[in-house]
Amino acid sequence: MTSEDRVTQNDERRQPEFNPSAEFQVVEGPRRVGVCFVGDEYVAGLGDPKALGWVSRVMARTPHAGVDLAAYNLGVRGDSSTEVLARWQQESEPRWRTANERRLVIGFGAGDIEQDLSTARSRLNLANILDDASSAAIATFVVGPAPTQDNEFNERLQVLVDAQADVCSRRGVTYVDCFRPLLGHDQWQSDLAASPDGLPGQAGYGLIAWLVLHAAWQSWLDL
């Protein structure tokens, strides 16, 4: 571990423990729920010939009778946690203008490896997003990165997945591990192999959507 890693990791550890739901409350009366999805190309759904990705598949299977539920996809190809940290508030705020219930779904990981961010820096970036959201009474939900076909890349990604899970656990935030369930999964692997960009298609995004939907998604939305 480099000296920069130690400083960054200590910075994250010195931050107070936050409970993202401490100030967040489900409103009484008519609910206008704004859900912003921020992250990378997996959030954006790139590679899906149906242009749905996992986000639209999840929302299509989210019953919300009696709730005004609006979803906004703010995924950007190649974004790392540093880039998401820099933009999530500015891009989300206009989408929440008419909402009385603000919710944020976060998904990134591969960009951190590609940009060679240290694990400590990645931890701190995610921690800052979660803590800033918590302080603003915004409910959060994190979807971890999925495995690739590159074994060496996956080894580094697994370290990041464990770090993200730990950051979320410390704050009582739901973390969806997409890495381990899909690592070596035949349908996932064949979907990646069929893509010129190594991105999932319909089947792959369907698998991620299934993992999200079965991670207390409706409970988190209080539906």
Side-chain angles (χ1 to χ4, degrees), residues 11-209:
D11 285 346
E12 195 266 332
R13 287 174 176 170
R14 279 199 297 268
Q15 292 185 348
E17 295 291 333
F18 278 83
N19 180 350
S21 62
E23 298 181 15
F24 176 84
Q25 293 182 353
V26 174
V27 300
E28 296 182 5
R31 296 175 63 194
R32 298 186 302 278
V33 183
V35 186
C36 289
F37 294 80
V38 296
D40 57 19
E41 60 269 23
Y42 281 82
V43 172
L46 298 185
D48 183 358
K50 295 291 186 181
L52 295 173
W54 65 262
V55 171
S56 291
R57 285 179 167 82
V58 165
M59 294 309 300
R61 292 167 175 78
T62 302
H64 54 276
V67 176
D68 182 356
L69 181 62
Y72 305 95
N73 193 320
L74 303 174
V76 175
R77 183 196 288 268
D79 256 16
S80 68
S81 59
T82 297
E83 289 153 337
V84 174
L85 172 62
R87 69 181 175 85
W88 77 267
Q89 289 173 295
Q90 183 178 6
E91 295 185 12
S92 297
E93 283 301 334
R95 277 83 183 179
W96 285 325
R97 190 171 295 137
T98 60
N100 58 14
E101 209 174 294
R102 299 178 297 170
R103 295 178 180 271
L104 183 71
V105 181
I106 304 151
F108 48 64
D112 285 29
I113 306 300
E114 292 166 353
Q115 295 182 29
D116 204 27
L117 296 187
S118 68
T119 303
R121 172 55 60 185
S122 296
R123 284 181 63 98
L124 186 59
N125 287 341
L126 178 58
N128 283 336
I129 294 172
L130 297 178
D131 292 348
D132 288 346
S134 172
S135 297
I138 299 165
T140 50
F141 187 99
V142 181
V143 179
T148 70
Q149 290 187 295
D150 185 326
N151 291 332
E152 182 179 351
F153 192 93
N154 285 341
E155 290 178 3
R156 300 176 62 191
L157 198 58
Q158 183 171 339
V159 174
L160 179 58
V161 166
D162 291 340
Q164 289 184 345
D166 182 60
V167 169
C168 291
S169 176
R170 289 168 181 264
R171 289 158 176 80
V173 173
T174 298
Y175 182 75
V176 184
D177 182 358
C178 296
F179 183 82
R180 288 178 176 83
L182 298 180
L183 186 65
H185 190 290
D186 290 342
Q187 194 174 28
W188 175 260
Q189 291 295 331
S190 61
D191 219 33
L192 295 186
S195 167
D197 298 323
L199 292 169
Q202 295 183 63
Y205 280 118
L207 290 169
I208 296 177

